Amino acid sequence: MKITAVEAVPFAIPYRKPLKFASGEAHTADHVLVRVRTDWGLTGTAEAPPRPYTYGETQESIIAVIDKIFTPQILGLSALEREAVHARLERTVGNPTAKAAIDMALWDILGQAAKMPVSGLLGGYTDRMRVSHMVGFAPAPDMVAEAERIRDTYGITTFKVKVGRRPYTDDVEACRALREALGPDTELYIDGNRGWTASESARALREMADLGLTFAEELCPADDVLGRRWLVAQSTIPFIADESATRAAEVTRELLGGSATAISIKTARTGFTASQRVLHECEGLGVEVVMGNQIDGQIGTLCSVAFGAAHQTSARYAGELSNFLDMTDDLLTEPLTIENGTLRIREGAGLGIDIDPGKLARYRQDR
């Protein structure tokens, strides 16, 4: 089952409204569709979402590194030789979403060849996950209105609230408004995308201590080493490392250094293979994980739920699986549906990704 070709197709689908957060904002899903083809006639599919404000990747850089560096290195290898593929990809530093997309496409091939869902190959713990919805920057009444609409429409009762604005009291006000409107049974946690200083973060957490927040994520930069450790040491809720812990070695550094007490796993940046390494490391250390979102489309969301549902630890909390609701369209023939606050994995072999050729022709950017 030799790799015969790797295809990187740029596409762009507008969002219904910009998603705004401390490190940037997204107006369009300018992603890359990645397909790995084999001599068995099987094709694995995934997507790479460029996030220049987080990892430095752009749509153009993802295509370039796949076409010019990665593809020549892995052509002729078997789709079963994932470790050999990874060893060759790791010769190039960075480029996490490009590497992750190739990895997930290979797993898709393995699932098809075995006639099993990828989620079953990964662990097969459950067939669905509870969904968490991300609420971006807006005036507090608008954030409340969005959360209420999502709850009433999709049954979602967990919300990740973007914070990190200045003055920090704007976000304290928004979180308080959300708690008052949604009630005590709704789960809330916050993500600062490194927008505050450690001292601002500490003040914000003190002023939100009565809101019952589940987690706090990346409130201040991990590069502010002493300030971050000081903040985490006094936090009364788990502090999630996300963009500061993208690989197993970084997870070790952040946890043992006292800069985090929980970890966000994003298949869009670590694929399935490296995500399992991170997950198993966290299980061994007794550290909680959440399934994060890279502002994924439906293809990336299918990958996230396949991994999250496969393991007991990653299925424990609601996964961030609803950002595709903000997109005006997608590439799947059969769109994803969230029902009663949950999203199911796709049944059948592989990841269950079936691309609509008409939609791909409409949104691709290279023709």
Side-chain angles (χ1 to χ4, degrees), residues 322-341:
S322 67
N323 274 118
F324 69 87
L325 296 175
D326 293 327
M327 294 172 61
T328 56
D329 203 352
D330 217 293
L331 300 183
L332 293 185
T333 301
E334 181 186 350
L336 300 183
T337 56
I338 297 172
E339 297 178 341
N340 298 319

Side-chain angles (χ1 to χ4, degrees), residues 150-197:
I150 293 295
R151 178 197 60 188
D152 296 343
T153 304
Y154 301 101
I156 294 173
T157 57
T158 301
F159 294 91
K160 175 178 182 172
V161 186
K162 290 293 187 178
V163 298
R165 290 178 287 189
R166 289 190 172 97
Y168 75 89
T169 50
D170 288 349
D171 289 328
V172 173
E173 175 190 351
C175 290
R176 191 165 297 282
L178 284 163
R179 173 57 75 206
E180 290 175 356
L182 299 174
D185 295 332
T186 295
E187 190 171 0
L188 298 177
Y189 60 106
I190 56 175
D191 176 14
N193 292 111
R194 314 175 309 283
W196 287 331
T197 64

Side-chain angles (χ1 to χ4, degrees), residues 13 19 40 46 115 164 190 199-200 210 212 328 330 356-357:
I13 300 175
L19 180 59
W40 280 24
K115 296 181 172 55
I190 56 175
S199 59
E200 287 173 321
D210 62 330
T328 56
D330 217 293
D356 185 314

Side-chain angles (χ1 to χ4, degrees), residues 5 16 28 38 44 65-66 68-69 103 107 210 244 291 330:
R16 291 188 173 89
T28 302
T38 70
V65 77
I66 289 176
K68 297 180 179 181
I69 299 179
D103 175 76
W107 276 93
D210 62 330
S244 63
M291 291 303 301
D330 217 293

Side-chain angles (χ1 to χ4, degrees), residues 3-224:
I3 298 171
T4 58
V6 183
E7 182 184 17
V9 180
F11 67 94
I13 300 175
Y15 288 103
R16 291 188 173 89
K17 62 179 180 61
L19 180 59
K20 299 180 180 181
F21 39 93
S23 59
E25 57 184 71
H27 296 259
T28 302
D30 50 351
H31 296 180
V32 179
L33 179 70
V34 176
R35 287 166 159 167
V36 177
R37 304 187 187 277
T38 70
D39 59 359
W40 280 24
L42 300 178
T43 298
T45 305
E47 73 174 330
R51 297 293 171 255
Y53 37 77
T54 306
Y55 308 116
E57 291 176 293
T58 66
Q59 192 178 61
E60 293 79 11
S61 75
I62 290 171
I63 294 168
V65 77
I66 289 176
D67 287 349
K68 297 180 179 181
I69 299 179
F70 292 162
T71 299
Q73 291 179 341
I74 66 175
L75 287 180
L77 290 178
S78 168
L80 297 171
E81 296 175 308
R82 288 181 294 104
E83 288 295 314
V85 170
H86 274 274
R88 298 188 183 189
L89 297 184
E90 288 304 317
R91 295 171 183 168
T92 303
V93 299
N95 300 280
T97 68
K99 294 173 182 176
I102 291 174
D103 175 76
M104 292 186 290
L106 290 175
W107 276 93
D108 190 20
I109 291 169
L110 297 180
Q112 294 174 49
K115 296 181 172 55
M116 287 183 59
V118 168
S119 194
L121 292 177
L122 288 168
Y125 176 69
T126 184
D127 65 350
R128 72 196 70 198
M129 284 191 73
R130 291 188 298 116
V131 176
S132 169
H133 183 71
M134 191 182 301
V135 181
F137 288 170
D142 295 345
M143 296 171 71
V144 169
E146 178 187 356
E148 290 179 328
R149 177 181 63 83
I150 293 295
R151 178 197 60 188
D152 296 343
T153 304
Y154 301 101
I156 294 173
T157 57
T158 301
F159 294 91
K160 175 178 182 172
V161 186
K162 290 293 187 178
V163 298
R165 290 178 287 189
R166 289 190 172 97
Y168 75 89
T169 50
D170 288 349
D171 289 328
V172 173
E173 175 190 351
C175 290
R176 191 165 297 282
L178 284 163
R179 173 57 75 206
E180 290 175 356
L182 299 174
D185 295 332
T186 295
E187 190 171 0
L188 298 177
Y189 60 106
I190 56 175
D191 176 14
N193 292 111
R194 314 175 309 283
W196 287 331
T197 64
S199 59
E200 287 173 321
S201 303
R203 288 195 293 271
L205 286 176
R206 283 196 299 269
E207 294 178 27
M208 291 189 285
D210 62 330
L211 298 186
L213 300 177
T214 306
F215 299 110
E217 178 179 314
E218 295 285 0
L219 299 185
C220 65
D223 287 347
D224 298 341

